[in-house]
Amino acid sequence: MKLQDKCPILHFGDLGDERGKLVVIEGAQDIPFEVKRVFYIYDSDSSVIRGQHANRESEFVLINVAGQSKVRITDGKEEVIVELNQPMMGIYIPKMIWKDMYDFSADSVLLVLASTHYDAEEYIRDYDTYIKELKR
Ligand code: TYD
């Protein structure tokens, strides 16, 4: 399967009205998993590269709810760069995809929805190890 099909861009509905915008994300309905963890990244300098890991167990959805950033993903074969710049759009990242987040705008708030509770052991932080595990 192509990397872009493994990691689809998601477009969420806008339930906003004259009072403002409203985006709702229902676990296992608007995204492929039930949400067990939420975290957000902000105040990251534009020169910083975050992520630089793959996850053996976790699936994620990344949404820039404010500002913008880029995410570079690879499955060890293809590479795709996606600019996250709309609160109504996200990217789904399944297990065993290597990801780097970078080019954060000063106002970037990158919201991450995760399918698991945090477990440091399921993070692969070394690229060579990642490639080796893919080949198993
Ligand atoms: P890290 O995974 O390096 O962040 P990023 O993916 O944005 O590059 O996490 C930074 C620190 O925060 C690290 O010590 C692990 C800790 N952490 C948790 O305790 N729980 C979590 O859910 C996350 C994402 C990180």
Side-chain angles (χ1 to χ4, degrees):
M1 196 192 283
K2 291 201 59 105
L3 182 57
Q4 268 164 325
D5 297 325
K6 288 184 203 168
C7 301
I9 302 295
L10 307 174
H11 297 280
F12 306 116
D14 172 24
L15 304 182
D17 52 31
E18 64 287 350
R19 297 169 299 166
K21 305 253 189 230
L22 173 65
V23 178
V24 178
I25 301 168
E26 297 256 8
Q29 294 180 24
D30 300 305
I31 61 174
F33 55 84
E34 295 284 6
V35 177
K36 284 206 177 153
R37 175 165 51 119
V38 173
F39 55 95
Y40 40 94
I41 295 167
Y42 64 102
D43 251 356
S44 269
D45 193 85
S46 62
S47 64
V48 151
I49 303 178
R50 301 199 60 125
Q52 301 189 286
H53 44 59
N55 293 74
R56 297 183 181 96
E57 299 300 335
S58 298
E59 302 164 65
F60 298 98
V61 169
L62 275 56
I63 306 157
N64 255 100
V65 292
Q68 58 199 52
S69 70
K70 292 194 183 102
V71 57
R72 184 192 306 115
I73 48 173
T74 180
D75 57 1
K77 290 181 285 211
E78 290 180 79
E79 179 184 281
V80 170
I81 294 173
V82 174
E83 182 161 309
L84 300 170
N85 55 12
Q86 296 166 40
M88 286 186 293
M89 133 213 218
I91 183 169
Y92 169 64
I93 302 184
K95 299 172 193 179
M96 290 302 283
I97 299 288
W98 187 271
K99 55 205 164 303
D100 302 323
M101 295 86 83
Y102 62 103
D103 261 5
F104 297 92
S105 62
D107 60 348
S108 171
V109 181
L110 178 60
L111 176 70
V112 182
L113 311 177
S115 64
T116 59
H117 293 297
Y118 183 69
D119 172 11
E121 298 300 307
E122 64 103 14
Y123 278 69
I124 307 174
R125 293 183 181 271
D126 174 65
Y127 191 75
D128 291 341
T129 305
Y130 166 67
I131 295 296
K132 274 186 200 138
E133 288 199 22
L134 280 179
K135 288 180 179 158
R136 267 187 207 161

